[in-house]
Amino acid sequence: LCREVFNRARQVRDRLMTIPRRLGPICAAEKDPEVIKKLLHDAFAEALDTMASPDRYVPLGAKLAR
């Protein structure tokens, strides 16, 4: 179970850590703070929603219950 938690946290971390690399140049060129906030919000929402999508979600401990 600890390994599952670690792996899930690592996946979330890795996905979130790609956001600055992808959006940095776009945000640097953008002058409107509202546009930047929307870009960041959408990127974080996408990353977190992908991790929580039903087709990828396996409840913690599910492997133990099999």
Side-chain angles (χ1 to χ4, degrees):
L1 185 59
C2 288
R3 184 174 292 253
E4 280 185 73
V5 172
F6 175 83
N7 288 339
R8 178 132 345 130
R10 175 63 63 96
Q11 288 174 341
V12 171
R13 186 204 68 162
D14 291 349
R15 187 144 183 101
L16 293 175
M17 293 300 291
T18 68
I19 292 172
R21 184 182 70 240
R22 291 185 293 121
L23 291 184
I26 296 167
C27 290
E30 181 57 55
K31 303 254 187 261
D32 186 350
E34 292 302 316
V35 172
I36 294 170
K37 284 195 305 192
K38 181 167 178 12
L39 287 168
L40 291 171
H41 175 273
D42 292 350
F44 279 100
E46 179 201 0
L48 294 170
D49 287 347
T50 299
M51 295 306 300
S53 69
D55 59 326
R56 295 194 62 185
Y57 177 73
V58 177
L60 291 176
K63 293 178 185 173
L64 300 175
R66 291 182 191 164

